Each structure stands twice: as C-alpha cells, then as structure tokens.
Amino acid sequence: MVTIVTWNINSVRLRLPLVERLLHEERPDVLCLQEIKTIDQSFPARALAALGYVHQVVHGQKGYHGVATVSRIPLRELSRHDWQDNGEARHVGVELLGRGQGVVVENVYVPAGGDVPDRTVNAKFGQKLDFVERMTRWAGAIDRPTLIVGDFNIAPLECDVWSHKQLLKVVSHTPVEVAALERFRDAHGWSDLGRAHILAPERYFSWWSYRSPDWRRNDRGRRLDHMWASPELARQARGHRVLEAARDWERPSDHVPLVTDFEL
DNA sequence: ATGGTGGGTAGCCCA
C-alpha cells in the first residue's frame, strides 16, 4: 500500500509542528504541501528528513504560494509548470522510484481568483480560469499513471459547499469555474477520488475560513482540495479520508489534509 | 451590504 496526503499548510515554517504531528500520526509515504510561503533555502528540510521524509522536492517562493512534495519513497522531480507564465510557484511534478514505481504525483496550487467572479473587472479571476484551462490542456495529454492533487480553489458540487444558493456568485463555486473543472475531468477521464469515496450528496468540506467563527458549529466549509487520478490509477485507490480534526489543532491551517491509500 | 481572521513581511499583498 502507498499512502499519499495533500495539505494546504498556509506557511510550512509556522506550522512545522502540525506537519510533524500529521507525519507521526498518519505515516503517509508521500506528502504534498501547498502554500509553503517560503524560499527553498528556508524549507524545514532537516526536520522532515529526521522523520524519514528524506526525499524532497521544493518549489518555493518568498512570502507567497510555493509547493513541496516530501516522501519516504525515492522520487525524482519531473517538471515545474508555470501555467500563468508569471513566475508564481504553483506546481511541481514527481515520479515515484521505489514502491509505486512509475506513478507520477503532480502537486498543484490553483490561484484563488480574487473576490469578484468577472474577468473584465478582476484580472485574478481571469488568471485562475486561464490557469485551469492550460492545466487541462496539459492534463489531457498525459500518458502515464498519474495523480493530480492539491488546492484547486474550486468546490464543484452543491454538497461541496455549506450553501449552494449563497455561494453561486462567490469565487470557488461559480458555474464558470465548475464548468472549467468539468472540462479538466473530461480531458482524460480523470477520477475525483474524494467523491469516489464520499458519495454525493454527502457533505464533504476541506476548508473553513478563518473569518467564520466556530467552524465546527457553523460549519461554513467548502471542498477546495482535491485528489484526481488517471483511470488506471483510480482503480487502485483503496481508501480515502478527510482529517477534519486537524482544523482544531493548535494554530491550524484553514485547510485540512486529504489522505488516499493505493494498492501499488 | 458588509466585514470578519490569518500569514508574510515591512507598508501592504494575498488568502
């Protein structure tokens, strides 16, 4: 079995103790982090290596964004795509070399897209749509067993948000974003592992805003984080969990980790 | 209709 986790950590340096706790408790083979918010040189490489995660690929950036994939399984970096062509660190792709040999793990941080869901008045929204479209074009040409994980900043289904009606015009749940994600899915028959295991219409959230008080009671969540597998790899997925409890850890990220086990 | 909180980092940007 190979266990893979994705987690938007919202500063890996500030929340290193939470990452260590996750690695102790879950012992995943591979951990994909987004929003590490640090340059490569300040990534806590030693601390994670001390827990056995000696294989590390870091694509950092000063202050913003940044992704990293750390692993107990040997891996090699394959690619760093810049789908906005603006230098932001939002993707890194690796190939597993030990167990699960040949499987590709793509770690993605889709732009949030700003506040107004209209590209004529909000350039960030257009950049988000363009990012997903270019990623879709790339994802349609993939010819190896591949897992694409990360913070997609899109909650496609009604049961992926706390109120479909109230969020229809809120960036992350607008019909134009949902349509873009559907085109991504259809480009290669990508399988939504989260929804393959937690079936609609069951509630499934991975993010609760810091601005909404009492996240557990009010539960104003959204499913922004995803794990998508190519068809052959999807058939090898055996279990999937959302670690909601991590939203209550001390000084939490606003996102929680997603875990999938694969029989590889 | 609005503002609410949090992180990085130096007067704001971004989520």
Side-chain angles (χ1 to χ4, degrees), chain A residues 54-92:
Chain A
V54 298
H55 309 286
Q56 308 181 351
V57 171
V58 183
H59 186 189
Q61 180 179 335
K62 183 175 178 174
Y64 304 104
H65 324 306
V67 293
T69 300
V70 302
S71 173
R72 299 195 287 153
I73 299 174
L75 49 73
R76 72 181 180 98
E77 181 176 328
L78 285 183
S79 58
R80 304 174 169 213
H81 290 294
D82 178 1
W83 287 300
Q84 296 180 112
D85 203 24
N86 66 357
E88 293 181 352
R90 294 183 176 274
H91 166 266
V92 71

